[in-house]
Amino acid sequence: MAGPRVVIIGAGVVGAALADEISARGWTEVTVVDQGPLPATGGSSSHAPGLVFQTNPSKTMTELARYTVEKFCSLDVDGEPCFLQVGGLEVATTPERLTELHRRHGWITAWGIESRLLSADECVERHPLVNRDRVLGGLLVPTDGLAKAVLAVEAQIRRATERGVNFLARHEVLDVLHTDGEVTGVLTDQGEIPADIVVCCAGIWGPRIARMVGMNLPLTPLAHQLAWTGPVPALAGQTEEAVRPILRHQDADLYYRDRFDGIGIGSYGHRPMPISADDILSVDEADTMPSVLKFTEEDFADAWTETQSLLPATAEAKVEEGINGLFSFTTDGYPLLGESPDVKGFWVAEAVWVTHSAGVGRAVAEWLVDGYCSSFDLHECDVNRFEPHQLSPEYVLARDCQNFVEVYDILHPLQPSGKPRPIRTSPFHARQREHGAVFLEANGWERPQWYEANAGLVEGRSIPTPNDWAARYWSPIVGAEAQATRETVAMYDMTALKRLEVTGPGAADFLERLVTSKVAKSVGSVTYTLLLDHDGGIRSDITVARLARDVFQVGANGNLDLDWFTRHLPADGTVQVRDITSGTCCIGLWGPLARKVLQPLTDEDFSGDGLKYFRAQRAHIGSVPVTAMRLSYVGELGWELYTTADLGQKLWDTLWAAAQPLGGVIAGRGAFNSLRLEKGYRSFGTDMTYEHDPYEAGVGFAVKLDKDDFIGKAALERRKADVRRKLTCLTIEDPRAVVMGKEPVYDGDRPVGYVTSAAYGYTIGKGIAYAWLPTESAVPGATLHIGYFDQRVEAVVAEEPLFDPTMSRLRG
């Protein structure tokens, strides 16, 4: 089939990859337009140094890079290869970086790519220019290498052209045409091209193109310095373009690559140099190409000095060429992929570097043709993931520049984001500060990790201190708060969780079509359920509370849930979806004494029979109207208590005054995470994502295949009988061996899976790690090992939940 009419804006390495991939799937009525000449169009692809390093803390980003490597290795242009697989070497010049290389080795092993840790001597053996006195060790990934980006563009253009794709050079896009919220075409300086789908692959020009349909793209072009030496005497006579591995010296924000008898030097160590997409010169105005700005020698001085120290042979050479090349940066470091929320048919594939380009081309092609992506989990990359404040110009510029500065930094998983902060504060913020809250950030919310006012709780308790890495952004107070929750009662600020309101005469039927459980039940029911994609993959886990006949409150995971609901709204207007998060707040009141705190404050019956587990009711707590839901993600008796933001502080004060005489505490996210893992509660985005189905993830109980049809049902019926992997609970006896997530799991010497969530269980007195494992390794009692930096931590497969398996405390 020819497929719909598609126009791809941008013929760089992303646009060419998408044209190739989408035409290979049968869509051939495709036109690719670019303002520049082909194949070197003048965008970032045309000057990219081509280094492809696959190591990344994100499994998705590593898999996108792996596909790019595999595809580029298969491409050539008239016999000239598009990829030089020389390997990639990262070197450590400090003890901290050497430790970090062990962590990075864990990532790449977890994601299934071969790598090796090298001694200092082995580093020099692989890259003889390296100063042996400077390096302590290294990490080698043999399948990394150099992508010849312009050649790869040409190769993919040729393949797509053979299938009927039309490439139009020297066509500047003036407008994206749309009517009644749907794309109709693209207007260029040489005429109009009709289209059913338009995909923006314009790179550094992406924000400008996206604005043509009213879309705010959180992308900033930033200049990055790339210099080339003249001949290096030690390399005299090198006739091959590259023979040594590409090299990263991340302690100094530098990377290096061969170019015959010279060396290419890239630096992220200079000041951020952002530029507006509107200020980028046109192809005809630019001296070299639009993505190349004048080299600022003063910004490169430190990089050149450090280069001569790490690679002494370069002291006999000179920097002969240099550019400040523009690349795209985003607020969280991930690409921007997906369809506009407002204009149907307008898609973006933006902020994609050469490293991930072919993978993104395949992912977006699958998404367009099939309606979902089967090869990659794209939840981190979906352009609709952002909250409104994350699209503000001030926020975008600050975070994009920060990501440039931190691109090679050693970042802790809990490390707080930088400016601007604070942005979102709950109504309890003032009280939390009074109690010495240590705040981390969640979607812009200031969220307490623990409270210094609880320091006295530590006395007399056995709270083991974890290893140095796990002890960052940690305090023994975390353990004391967790134990106190199980002993008495604790208040948790749950305001940062997304809340949606679904209303209208069609609300019940609408939700039934989207979720895996029956939610059209009696008023007051609360249901834990799932959202699935058409292939049966988990898009989210949510709670749905029926507060009135046509009113439902949804506890969601983020903006992607709102986007999913909005895209599936019926056209007849019988359903409305509204984000109520900012106007509301929530306190989790949990612990064995929770009822003794709450019942005296209200006339409603909060007994076990009066408000049963997973039921909701409206009530007054003191003078505050609340919606009370009897559920708990810490595994204790209690309620989520919702009210409007203006009454939040009053609710806090009312509950706190009643809890204090009973020994109640306020507790933070650190305790919450420990308690929820003791109960085996999953966290979407960490423990399970789009690539997993409910039966693998251990949430099959939330699927009711006997209900009417819902999205993903047919796929689940096929997948249910073929579960080959399992989200598995592991326990660790060594109290210092607290892992952090994303570490490889070994069965003997064979890597078989990876850790998702982990924490110390302060109730059970063991470390906890959840991990994805093949079913044959997920046998209770089996001994496995977790690769943690340079250690192998013994772990045992455990039955779950680890705490209160009879649910007696929750249902008490």
Side-chain angles (χ1 to χ4, degrees):
M1 65 173 182
R5 298 170 299 176
V6 179
V7 174
I8 298 171
I9 301 173
V13 73
V14 180
L18 176 57
D20 180 35
E21 296 284 343
I22 202 170
S23 60
R25 286 162 176 77
W27 283 16
T28 55
E29 198 167 340
V30 178
T31 302
V32 184
V33 298
D34 200 292
Q35 62 183 338
L38 299 176
T41 62
S44 300
S45 304
S46 301
H47 74 258
L51 285 78
V52 176
F53 283 96
Q54 297 166 87
T55 307
N56 195 288
S58 164
K59 182 173 182 282
T60 296
M61 297 300 281
T62 293
E63 290 175 342
L64 292 169
R66 173 166 47 195
Y67 181 79
T68 301
V69 167
E70 292 170 353
K71 183 176 183 180
F72 281 10
C73 281
S74 71
L75 297 178
D76 70 89
V77 175
D78 301 329
E80 186 176 354
C82 294
F83 195 78
L84 306 177
Q85 202 159 40
V86 293
L89 175 63
E90 301 179 46
V91 295
T93 59
T94 63
E96 294 79 12
R97 182 65 62 176
L98 185 62
T99 300
E100 171 71 358
L101 291 186
H102 283 278
R103 184 167 72 123
R104 296 174 68 79
H105 174 60
W107 294 340
I108 202 76
T109 301
W111 311 148
I113 294 179
E114 177 192 356
S115 65
R116 284 183 52 205
L117 288 161
L118 304 183
S119 68
D121 288 337
E122 288 174 316
C123 290
V124 176
E125 183 180 337
R126 293 280 181 170
H127 202 300
L129 297 189
V130 169
N131 182 352
R132 171 63 180 80
D133 295 335
R134 289 292 314 279
V135 299
L136 303 177
L139 174 64
L140 177 72
V141 180
T143 52
D144 287 347
L146 285 168
K148 304 185 77 171
V150 174
L151 213 60
V153 168
E154 184 173 357
Q156 292 175 102
I157 286 177
R158 288 186 182 186
R159 286 161 47 127
T161 301
E162 289 175 357
R163 301 187 193 105
V165 174
N166 189 24
F167 286 82
L168 301 177
R170 294 287 185 173
H171 279 62
E172 181 182 358
V173 173
L174 304 178
D175 198 7
V176 176
L177 306 175
H178 52 101
T179 302
D180 297 328
E182 293 190 22
V183 157
T184 59
V186 170
L187 178 64
T188 77
D189 59 353
Q190 298 189 44
E192 181 179 328
I193 306 171
D196 306 302
I197 295 172
V198 173
V199 187
C200 177
C201 303
I204 53 178
W205 290 278
R208 193 169 79 192
I209 299 297
R211 281 202 307 273
M212 294 175 182
V213 296
M215 189 176 183
N216 190 355
L217 211 58
L219 181 159
T220 303
L222 281 109
H224 155 58
Q225 291 202 301
L226 176 64
W228 300 96
T229 71
V232 177
L235 304 182
Q238 180 175 319
T239 57
E240 294 182 62
E241 181 177 349
V243 297
R244 279 162 292 277
I246 53 178
L247 179 68
R248 280 204 282 191
H249 174 27
Q250 292 172 295
D251 285 319
D253 297 309
L254 291 166
Y255 64 77
Y256 305 95
R257 57 152 293 175
D258 285 8
R259 188 174 71 169
F260 300 102
D261 61 353
I263 297 289
I265 308 165
S267 172
Y268 292 100
H270 53 81
R271 62 191 169 91
M273 293 184 273
I275 184 173
S276 168
D278 295 323
D279 294 333
I280 301 172
L281 297 177
S282 69
V283 172
D284 295 327
E285 292 173 322
D287 291 335
T288 305
M289 62 181 76
S291 63
V292 170
L293 306 182
K294 183 179 178 182
F295 187 63
T296 50
E297 293 185 17
E298 63 277 12
D299 290 304
F300 195 71
D302 290 343
W304 180 233
T305 299
E306 181 61 25
T307 295
Q308 292 173 303
S309 174
L310 183 73
L311 308 176
T314 59
E316 301 179 63
K318 294 182 179 179
V319 174
E320 292 192 351
E321 306 172 51
I323 64 170
N324 288 5
L326 295 176
F327 287 90
S328 299
F329 282 79
T330 62
T331 56
D332 57 7
Y334 292 106
L336 308 173
L337 312 178
E339 189 178 20
S340 161
D342 301 312
V343 178
K344 184 178 180 181
F346 182 80
W347 290 68
V348 299
E350 287 289 342
V352 181
W353 293 5
V354 173
T355 299
H356 309 103
S357 58
V360 165
R362 177 175 178 174
V364 175
E366 289 180 355
W367 199 349
L368 286 166
V369 174
D370 301 331
Y372 58 89
C373 177
S374 58
S375 297
F376 308 97
D377 163 30
L378 297 181
H379 85 275
E380 294 171 315
C381 306
D382 193 314
V383 70
N384 296 295
R385 65 189 180 268
F386 301 103
E387 297 290 329
H389 74 273
Q390 294 172 318
L391 299 175
S392 70
E394 177 191 35
Y395 183 95
V396 170
L397 180 61
R399 290 292 171 90
D400 289 358
C401 288
Q402 179 182 333
N403 281 331
F404 177 90
V405 170
E406 293 180 347
V407 71
Y408 280 172
D409 285 3
I410 299 171
L411 301 176
H412 192 275
L414 296 178
Q415 187 164 321
S417 302
K419 296 179 180 178
R421 279 186 72 192
I423 299 177
R424 307 174 85 181
T425 57
S426 80
F428 322 128
H429 188 70
R431 297 293 185 257
Q432 291 165 342
R433 292 184 63 183
E434 291 169 6
H435 285 85
V438 175
F439 292 102
L440 301 184
E441 185 194 38
N443 279 332
W445 290 100
E446 296 295 316
R447 188 165 66 182
Q449 191 73 358
W450 70 84
Y451 293 87
E452 288 293 336
N454 288 331
L457 286 175
V458 177
E459 186 176 350
R461 297 179 183 274
S462 177
I463 309 292
T465 300
N467 57 80
D468 292 345
W469 184 248
R472 298 187 188 185
Y473 308 104
W474 175 88
S475 165
I477 298 170
V478 168
E481 290 176 357
Q483 291 179 356
T485 303
R486 299 252 188 257
E487 296 162 357
T488 56
V489 62
M491 291 166 50
Y492 288 82
D493 181 0
M494 304 300 290
T495 302
L497 300 181
K498 191 83 161 177
R499 290 173 293 285
L500 308 177
E501 186 179 73
V502 181
T503 58
D509 291 341
F510 167 74
L511 287 168
E512 286 288 348
R513 171 67 179 145
L514 294 183
V515 303
T516 60
S517 307
K518 296 178 180 178
V519 296
K521 298 185 290 191
S522 62
V523 172
S525 65
V526 183
T527 307
Y528 174 82
T529 189
L530 307 172
L531 301 175
L532 303 182
D533 215 327
H534 294 274
D535 65 344
I538 301 170
R539 287 197 63 96
S540 190
D541 64 333
I542 61 175
T543 55
V544 179
R546 190 171 201 173
L547 303 182
R549 186 180 187 281
D550 296 331
V551 178
F552 295 81
Q553 181 171 311
V554 176
N557 280 298
N559 212 58
L560 289 180
D561 293 347
L562 174 60
D563 180 68
W564 186 252
F565 279 1
T566 302
R567 289 182 188 280
H568 289 89
L569 284 173
D572 60 9
T574 57
V575 184
Q576 296 79 45
V577 176
R578 187 166 65 99
D579 184 352
I580 61 171
T581 310
S582 60
T584 56
C585 58
C586 178
I587 293 174
L589 181 72
W590 296 313
L593 302 184
R595 187 172 285 122
K596 290 186 177 182
V597 172
L598 195 62
Q599 189 61 79
L601 301 175
T602 180
D603 293 333
E604 298 296 333
D605 184 1
F606 277 85
S607 68
D609 292 329
L611 184 60
K612 294 181 178 180
Y613 187 52
F614 264 81
R615 297 289 297 178
Q617 71 178 23
R618 299 270 172 75
H620 282 85
I621 305 301
S623 58
V624 179
V626 302
T627 298
M629 297 187 196
R630 190 171 166 204
L631 55 154
S632 164
Y633 281 87
V634 302
E636 294 289 342
L637 169 69
W639 301 267
E640 291 180 358
L641 302 170
Y642 298 88
T643 191
T644 53
D646 59 320
L647 292 169
Q649 186 166 297
K650 180 63 176 176
L651 176 62
W652 178 283
D653 290 344
T654 301
L655 293 172
W656 182 234
Q660 278 185 286
L662 298 173
V665 300
I666 51 177
R669 190 69 180 182
F672 178 92
N673 196 49
S674 171
L675 297 169
R676 70 118 180 145
L677 287 177
E678 289 183 332
K679 280 298 292 180
Y681 291 142
R682 279 66 168 142
S683 173
F684 177 80
T686 303
D687 298 316
M688 54 190 186
T689 66
Y690 294 2
E691 67 176 304
H692 306 115
D693 72 44
Y695 306 110
E696 299 170 328
V699 289
F701 64 87
V703 177
K704 308 302 179 188
L705 290 177
D706 59 347
K707 65 171 282 190
D708 290 341
D709 195 25
F710 56 85
I711 293 175
K713 181 180 179 181
L716 273 195
E717 289 172 334
R718 295 190 300 269
R719 294 176 70 157
K720 184 178 182 181
D722 189 28
V723 176
R724 301 182 184 183
R725 58 184 173 178
K726 182 180 178 184
L727 184 61
T728 306
C729 180
L730 304 174
T731 58
I732 302 166
E733 291 292 340
D734 183 351
R736 281 189 54 79
V738 176
V739 301
M740 300 293 293
K742 303 187 178 181
E743 297 88 359
V745 180
Y746 295 87
D747 190 345
D749 292 328
R750 181 172 61 101
V752 293
Y754 59 92
V755 173
T756 58
S757 294
Y760 190 78
Y762 297 100
T763 312
I764 65 168
K766 295 180 182 180
I768 306 168
Y770 272 78
W772 279 102
L773 299 174
T775 52
E776 61 269 22
S777 297
V779 179
T783 298
L784 305 172
H785 288 84
I786 299 171
Y788 188 63
F789 293 95
D790 59 348
Q791 306 167 32
R792 292 287 180 92
V793 176
E794 185 175 290
V796 177
V797 176
E799 297 274 8
E800 56 173 329
L802 299 170
F803 177 78
D804 189 27
T806 65
M807 306 283 279
S808 59
R809 295 173 73 103
L810 274 171
R811 298 179 184 277

